[in-house]
């Protein structure tokens, strides 16, 4: 880790981590970004291509980063046929174009599934962070062991900052949602258990093996075939079987989770999950005559992600917090994405605070032009450069429309912030019209 980057990452867990003015941070951030460019340009073919075509030799100002940013879709630009037809060699060559390390020495003999390939990549130092693949193609982002460890540490420090909890508290950890099996998610979960649950055994939703990306992609692919009428009869039958089994497993797991919360109601809890599942569990808790009146008064909660299309009542948030007896100041809600290590905690004024080792870059809707918020607040497409990432380039243009401010937050802290209301461009009329840099079609054609 280079000097400027090291100085920024040393702010993880510092008392003033989220209270440094943007003007004070920017010189060090630009120096770290430039160090990353100089050290990674020759290792990441796509970055070298973007730097050459954009005429960027060094980073002196935020605008210099814009031509170098990768679109959030970059990490799923491999050909779908390579995945379906098990062309692991081509998948490996593609991964190397967006990673800091080549994919060398990988033994793919006997590798049959996506999960097999992901596990085998760990033997050569590539730890993949994969999206759920809602489009049928999961994003695949290579991480180093250092990236995984730092991501878990960052999450813990942000949780402590946002909630005022103390490291070493004895709390019953309740994982109230399906467990996704991936190095990053495993590390974050274990870090929370280590930080708060040395006394009480943790609980995890579901009795079976954690969910892996392979079966999720298979189901999404089958669902797409059903929609376009290309599914064969045996595939339809298999889809219906798996869907019924999963629905039954989810119902059984939810019932067990309800009982687990009730059984632990006298203990201080740290409950984690998504609001959709937490709401279902809260309804079950109330149906059994329990809730705010008999759960511990010092409970805390970590909520991940948004509603993911779930239809919930307008008061779902208040309903969940009241049922679990969680005060607002003990709720940890953060904004993040797989493309970055950082986690941006929500303050009590309802704004997400950007980590000091991350450069926030508000762009226009197309992702091509850097906007200046001045002393006010503007609507923009969120883009970030995370200086802490080792395994890949830290610059990404997201699919999120956000409200950005570089002024002091109403909560009293300095630093750039993003408003609570975040909209996916893909959910807007007309979809996501991103036209920014970041395509690697030429590399894909070359690999093929």
């Amino acid at each position: 880790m280079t000097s400027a980057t090291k100085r920024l990452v040393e702010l993880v867990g510092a008392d003033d981590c989220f209270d440094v003015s943007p003007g004070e941070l920017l010189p060090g951030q630009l120096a770290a970004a430039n160090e990353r460019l100089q050290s990674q340009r020759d290792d990441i073919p796509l970055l070298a291509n973007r730097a050459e075509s954009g005429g960027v030799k060094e980073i002196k100002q935020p605008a210099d980063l814009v031509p170098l940013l990768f679109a959030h879709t970059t990490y799923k630009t491999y050909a779908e046929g390579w995945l379906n037809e098990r062309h692991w060699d081509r998948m490996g060559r593609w991964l190397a174009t967006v990673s800091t390390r080549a994919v060398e020495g990988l033994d793919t003999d006997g590798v049959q599934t996506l999960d097999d390939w992901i596990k085998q990549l760990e033997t050569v130092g590539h730890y993949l962070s994969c999206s759920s693949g809602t489009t049928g193609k999961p994003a695949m982002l290579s991480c180093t062991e250092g990236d995984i460890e730092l991501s878990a540490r960052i999450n813990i420090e942000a949780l402590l900052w946002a909630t005022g909890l103390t490291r070493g508290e004895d709390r019953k950890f309740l994982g109230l949602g399906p467990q996704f099996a991936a190095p990053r998610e495993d590390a974050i979960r274990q870090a929370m258990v280590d930080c708060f649950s040395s006394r009480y055994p943790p609980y995890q939703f579901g009795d079976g093996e954690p969910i892996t990306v392979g079966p999720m992609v298979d189901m999404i692919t089958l669902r797409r075939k059903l929609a376009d009428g290309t599914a064969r009869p045996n595939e339809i039958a298999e889809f219906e079987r798996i869907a019924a089994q999963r629905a039954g497993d989810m119902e059984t797991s939810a019932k067990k989770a309800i009982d687990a919360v009730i059984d632990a109601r006298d203990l201080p809890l740290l409950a984690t999950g998504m609001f959709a599942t937490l709401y279902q569990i809260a309804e079950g808790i109330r149906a059994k005559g329990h809730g705010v009146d008999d759960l511990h008064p010092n409970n805390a909660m970590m909520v991940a992600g948004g509603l993911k299309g779930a239809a919930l009542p307008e008061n779902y948030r208040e309903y969940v917090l009241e049922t679990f007896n969680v005060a607002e100041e003990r709720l940890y809600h953060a904004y993040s994405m797989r493309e970055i290590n950082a986690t941006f905690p929500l303050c009590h004024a309802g704004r997400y605070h950007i980590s000091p080792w991350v450069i926030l870059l508000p762009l226009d809707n197309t992702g091509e032009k850097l906007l200046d918020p001045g002393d006010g607040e503007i609507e923009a497409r969120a883009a970030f450069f995370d200086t802490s990432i080792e395994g890949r380039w830290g610059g990404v243009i997201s699919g999120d429309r956000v409200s950005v401010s570089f002024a002091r937050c109403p909560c009293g802290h300095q630093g750039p912030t993003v408003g609570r209301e975040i909209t996916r461009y893909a959910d807007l009329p007309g979809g996501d019209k991103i036209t920014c840099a970041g395509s690697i079609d030429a590399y894909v054609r070359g690999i093929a």
Side-chain angles (χ1 to χ4, degrees), residues 11 16-26 354 356 413-416:
L11 291 172
D16 61 349
C17 180
F18 296 102
D19 197 16
V20 187
S21 70
E24 183 180 344
L25 278 173
L26 188 58
I354 307 303
H413 292 87
Q414 301 181 81

Side-chain angles (χ1 to χ4, degrees), residues 238-260:
E238 180 66 4
F239 176 87
E240 292 174 345
R241 183 192 69 79
I242 295 175
Q245 177 182 326
R246 289 188 177 178
D249 290 344
M250 283 292 292
E251 183 177 354
T252 298
S253 295
K255 290 179 179 178
K256 291 181 178 180
I258 291 165
D259 290 337

Side-chain angles (χ1 to χ4, degrees), residues 36-52 68 70 74-75 94-102 126 142 385 389-395 440 443:
R36 286 298 193 195
L37 173 63
Q38 304 310 322
S39 65
Q40 295 182 347
R41 177 169 45 200
D42 293 339
D43 296 326
I44 306 176
L46 178 57
L47 175 59
N49 176 271
R50 296 307 311 150
E52 181 178 357
L68 306 178
F70 293 0
T74 296
Y75 296 100
W94 166 81
L95 183 64
T97 67
V98 290
S99 305
T100 54
R101 293 142 300 139
H126 285 269
S142 181
F385 186 82
I389 298 175
E390 296 177 334
R392 59 189 184 277
W393 180 236
I440 60 170
Y443 287 104

Side-chain angles (χ1 to χ4, degrees), residues 114-430:
L114 173 58
D115 289 338
D116 291 340
W117 183 65
I118 291 173
K119 197 67 180 176
Q120 194 64 16
L121 279 168
E122 294 181 14
T123 66
V124 293
H126 285 269
Y127 296 84
L128 291 199
S129 178
C130 299
S131 67
S132 58
T134 53
T135 63
K137 287 179 69 177
M140 299 185 187
L141 303 100
S142 181
C143 306
T144 64
E145 283 190 278
D147 288 330
I148 298 296
E149 294 170 0
L150 184 59
S151 181
R153 182 182 164 209
I154 286 170
N155 186 76
I156 286 294
E157 297 295 348
L159 187 156
L160 294 171
W161 180 85
T163 62
L165 299 183
T166 303
R167 188 184 306 276
E169 289 186 16
D170 285 322
R171 292 180 173 272
K172 174 76 171 182
F173 177 86
L174 297 172
L176 300 180
Q179 184 179 359
F180 188 57
R184 174 173 166 169
E185 283 70 19
D186 290 344
I188 290 174
R189 179 185 183 277
Q190 190 58 50
M192 286 191 289
V193 171
D194 292 343
C195 186
F196 298 110
S197 297
S198 60
R199 182 176 178 185
Y200 307 112
Y203 172 84
Q204 183 59 52
F205 185 98
D207 294 328
E209 291 293 319
I211 297 172
T212 59
V213 67
M216 287 194 296
V217 172
D218 291 343
M219 281 295 286
I220 292 165
T221 301
L222 276 174
R223 189 177 291 115
R224 193 170 57 196
K225 286 184 177 181
L226 287 172
D228 61 24
T230 60
R232 296 188 296 269
N234 64 313
E235 291 177 324
I236 296 174
E238 180 66 4
F239 176 87
E240 292 174 345
R241 183 192 69 79
I242 295 175
Q245 177 182 326
R246 289 188 177 178
D249 290 344
M250 283 292 292
E251 183 177 354
T252 298
S253 295
K255 290 179 179 178
K256 291 181 178 180
I258 291 165
D259 290 337
V261 176
I262 293 172
D263 290 345
R265 63 187 180 276
D266 294 331
L267 303 176
L269 307 177
L270 174 58
T272 69
M274 299 180 69
F275 268 124
T277 306
L278 291 169
Y279 185 86
Q280 179 187 3
I281 293 171
E283 285 188 309
I285 292 171
R286 293 196 184 204
K288 292 196 170 187
H290 297 279
V292 63
D293 292 333
D294 62 348
L295 266 72
H296 197 280
N298 193 30
N299 289 339
M301 180 174 286
M302 171 182 170
V303 177
L307 296 181
K308 299 295 185 182
L312 297 179
E314 288 187 4
N315 69 334
Y316 70 89
R317 190 173 181 275
E318 293 77 11
Y319 185 91
V320 169
L321 295 184
E322 181 181 313
T323 304
F324 281 86
N325 205 5
V326 175
E328 281 285 346
E329 59 268 22
R330 291 289 185 266
L331 172 65
Y332 173 53
H333 199 171
Y335 171 44
S336 188
M337 57 195 67
R338 291 184 185 278
E339 291 85 356
I340 59 178
N341 279 342
T343 299
F344 310 138
L346 186 72
C347 73
H348 304 315
R351 299 193 66 82
Y352 296 105
H353 286 251
I354 307 303
S355 306
W357 54 90
V358 176
I359 304 174
L360 171 60
L361 300 161
L363 304 181
D364 66 351
N365 288 347
T366 63
E368 295 181 332
K369 181 181 177 182
L370 184 66
L371 304 180
D372 181 8
D375 295 328
E377 188 169 351
I378 61 169
E379 185 179 273
R381 181 186 287 271
F384 304 98
F385 186 82
D386 188 337
T387 65
S388 72
I389 298 175
E390 296 177 334
R392 59 189 184 277
W393 180 236
V396 61
I397 302 177
S398 79
D400 296 340
R401 186 176 71 180
V402 300
S403 177
V404 173
S405 173
F406 283 77
R408 184 183 291 270
C409 179
C411 76
H413 292 87
Q414 301 181 81
T417 60
V418 167
R420 175 184 287 176
E421 299 302 321
I422 297 172
T423 304
R424 298 285 293 174
Y425 278 98
D427 296 332
L428 296 174

